[in-house]
Amino acid sequence: MPVSMKTIRWLPLAAMLAATLAFAQEAPDALVKRVSQDVLAIAKSDPKVQAGDQARIHEVIDGKLAPHFDFTRMTALAMGRNWRNATPAQQKELTEQFKQLLVRTYSGALSRYRDEKIEYKPLAVAPSATDVTVKTLVVKAGGGSPVPIDYSLTKTPEGWKAYDVIVGGVSLVTNYRDEFNEQIKSGGVDGLIATLKTKNGG
Amino acid sequence: MTSMTRYVLVVATAAALAGCATGPNKDDPFEPWNRVMYEKVHVPIDRDVMQPMVRAYIDIVPSPVRTAISNFFNNIDDFISAINDGLQGKREKMGNDLGRVLINSGVGMFGLVDIASQVGVERGNEDFGLTFGTWGFEQGPYLFIPLFGPTTVRDGTGWLVRIFGASPVGYIPDVPIRNTIYAFGVVDARYQAEGAVSFVGEAALDQYAFIRRAYLQRREYLLYDGNVPPKKEDE
């Protein structure tokens, strides 16, 4: 009895440790595959998502997808040289607002998802690699051009995290760089934060 | 001076004058002019005419027929792609694209069924703008043409070559049939762009700048066949 008590007390901690280790060691291509299949499986089976329930779609993206993105790095990249001129408080606010914008945009894309299939290109990762690009191809059932979607990932203590999505050669981060730059030119960093807030609130 | 060159000169002068006010963007010296074309001309027409038209099209025409119509126009794109593979000396891709056109025009009934994709022959994506690019021509100034969309001097010239010379539709002798095909081409193009337009509406802080950067990125990607040489980015 005392033995089993001890074991039981230790079990949750051991399970948590094992999960963290497995997560940290999951290869970036395996991660992209697992997470995207997970989200698409929900998109296909969840009646609320299928009915276009925005709150539920938002919940799925925020819970399943967002933890695997490095939003701070994404924001810094989109800000370019302006990132260093922003105060830590501004950086935090920018990251939060940019995250909200991306989650909302992704939710919109997911509600338009129909019967596309994703092909995953094999990836050879050297054990020392800290930055990789995972290539996928989205194929529509009825023919038409398949769309290549690439994910740039970086290694962090909490596992691999994506910091850019490149759709058909169009990098999301690069696309926002122009926009951020123009907003900062006309209204400063606070102007950009205000614009992001308006966009997210509208 | 032809009326066309005169028109271009007037547009260029107006844009250059307007450009003095804000300072030029390297890729988009005519930005003030282009912005008016996008925000004041394109967006209202798209909202009041094109979007209701696409909604009616979706209501009236069943989905398999819409797909067939898209396939028909994609088949013409494949033909244009094959010509440009040839002009760029890409023999293997040319065989691929020509094969698609032959299969889809024959077994696929004038391109209505995309058999080639179903048996795994991927679509090509070359056009005259990209051919001019591989021949060493730069993009030139960015242009936004209402209803037509984003382009550049180089890519727009490519489209003129296509419309006034290379497209087989232009050689259909029966004018009403030809015009009907053109009309469906416009509807189908807007229909196929529906997802992208919604995305821009959700994602962009400044739609004009967002579309411009996406267009230029996409064209560079296509020019280098997906292997854009890495650039030094400031972080």
Side-chain angles (χ1 to χ4, degrees):
Chain A
M1 201 61 168
V3 177
S4 63
M5 271 309 285
K6 249 185 199 165
T7 320
I8 286 167
R9 241 197 348 233
W10 278 98
L11 258 177
L13 190 62
M16 255 172 64
L17 250 168
T20 319
L21 281 174
F23 190 65
Q25 285 166 355
E26 186 174 22
D29 48 344
L31 174 79
V32 168
K33 185 170 182 176
R34 178 174 66 79
V35 172
S36 54
Q37 295 290 25
D38 232 25
V39 172
L40 292 187
I42 297 173
K44 268 187 197 161
S45 60
D46 189 313
K48 278 187 178 170
V49 172
Q50 296 225 306
D53 180 341
Q54 287 304 313
R56 173 69 187 139
I57 293 171
H58 196 283
E59 192 184 293
V60 171
I61 300 291
D62 211 26
K64 297 271 176 191
L65 208 59
H68 304 291
F69 278 80
D70 184 345
F71 289 105
T72 309
R73 174 125 190 237
M74 282 181 107
T75 315
L77 282 171
M79 289 279 286
R81 71 188 67 186
N82 292 312
W83 182 248
R84 267 169 284 154
N85 301 331
T87 66
Q90 284 175 324
Q91 291 181 351
K92 199 164 164 256
E93 185 65 34
L94 280 166
T95 305
E96 178 53 34
Q97 294 298 331
F98 192 36
K99 178 190 167 182
Q100 276 189 32
L101 175 65
L102 292 173
V103 167
R104 251 168 25 95
T105 304
Y106 234 98
S107 305
L110 190 68
S111 53
R112 281 190 294 275
Y113 169 80
R114 291 292 170 264
D115 48 3
E116 287 88 354
K117 283 197 180 62
I118 306 181
E119 289 171 12
Y120 300 86
K121 305 273 174 76
L123 173 77
V125 191
S128 58
T130 55
D131 199 287
V132 296
T133 302
V134 175
K135 291 176 185 288
T136 73
L137 196 65
V138 178
V139 187
K140 287 187 191 166
S145 314
V147 182
I149 301 186
D150 298 350
Y151 300 86
S152 303
L153 296 106
T154 183
K155 201 175 194 170
T156 77
E158 301 98 54
W160 289 87
K161 290 197 183 232
Y163 65 89
D164 197 9
V165 183
I166 302 121
V167 182
V170 178
S171 146
L172 204 60
V173 162
T174 305
N175 234 52
Y176 277 108
R177 188 170 296 160
D178 266 22
E179 294 213 289
F180 281 18
N181 233 327
E182 290 197 11
Q183 295 288 331
I184 291 168
K185 241 190 273 170
S186 60
V189 175
D190 285 329
L192 172 62
I193 293 174
T195 307
L196 282 167
K197 274 186 172 163
T198 314
K199 179 88 189 163
N200 289 330
Chain B
M1 201 189 312
T2 67
S3 63
M4 189 65 196
T5 38
R6 198 158 54 221
Y7 172 73
V8 169
L9 273 178
V10 170
V11 171
T13 316
L17 286 174
C20 296
T22 50
N25 174 314
K26 164 174 73 68
D27 300 318
D28 190 5
F30 305 150
E31 176 168 348
W33 171 268
N34 283 331
R35 255 189 200 280
V36 170
M37 288 297 116
Y38 178 73
E39 287 165 0
K40 301 287 186 291
V41 182
H42 175 83
V43 168
I45 298 177
D46 190 68
R47 183 189 58 220
D48 298 338
V49 181
M50 301 307 277
Q51 284 180 21
M53 193 185 69
V54 168
R55 277 197 295 274
Y57 179 65
I58 292 172
D59 280 348
I60 297 164
V61 182
S63 168
V65 179
R66 293 198 302 268
T67 303
I69 290 171
S70 293
N71 286 341
F72 174 84
F73 289 106
N74 291 347
N75 190 42
I76 296 172
D77 288 345
D78 289 345
F79 174 70
I80 299 293
S81 183
I83 295 175
N84 285 285
D85 292 329
L87 293 172
Q88 296 174 31
K90 293 173 178 164
R91 295 176 66 173
E92 199 177 317
K93 272 184 94 176
M94 185 176 177
N96 210 44
D97 286 342
L98 267 184
R100 284 185 54 88
V101 175
L102 290 175
I103 294 170
N104 285 343
S105 302
V107 189
M109 298 182 291
F110 299 106
L112 294 176
V113 187
D114 186 1
I115 305 267
S117 284
Q118 289 170 24
V119 298
V121 187
E122 272 185 30
R123 291 194 64 201
N125 43 31
E126 298 295 346
D127 56 44
F128 288 100
L130 295 173
T131 296
F132 297 152
T134 53
W135 289 352
F137 289 94
E138 298 289 332
Q139 273 289 18
Y142 175 81
L143 301 169
F144 193 95
I145 317 277
L147 298 183
F148 180 79
T151 188
T152 59
V153 167
R154 183 187 80 198
D155 291 345
T157 308
W159 268 96
L160 293 178
V161 172
R162 171 178 176 156
I163 294 168
F164 294 110
S167 172
V169 181
Y171 295 96
I172 295 172
D174 187 311
V175 176
I177 291 181
R178 196 201 307 158
N179 287 342
T180 307
I181 293 177
Y182 279 137
F184 269 100
V186 171
V187 177
D188 175 67
R190 183 60 184 79
Y191 166 67
Q192 290 202 44
E194 191 62 13
V197 173
S198 310
F199 180 79
V200 170
E202 285 154 13
L205 303 176
D206 171 358
Q207 295 193 5
Y208 174 80
F210 197 88
I211 293 170
R212 177 180 64 200
R213 182 51 56 207
Y215 178 80
L216 295 175
Q217 280 201 69
R218 173 74 181 156
R219 295 300 292 177
E220 187 169 56
Y221 173 85
L222 290 176
L223 179 64
Y224 288 106
D225 293 322
N227 303 305
V228 180
K231 266 177 269 172
K232 189 96 185 84
E233 307 259 23
D234 51 344
E235 281 198 23

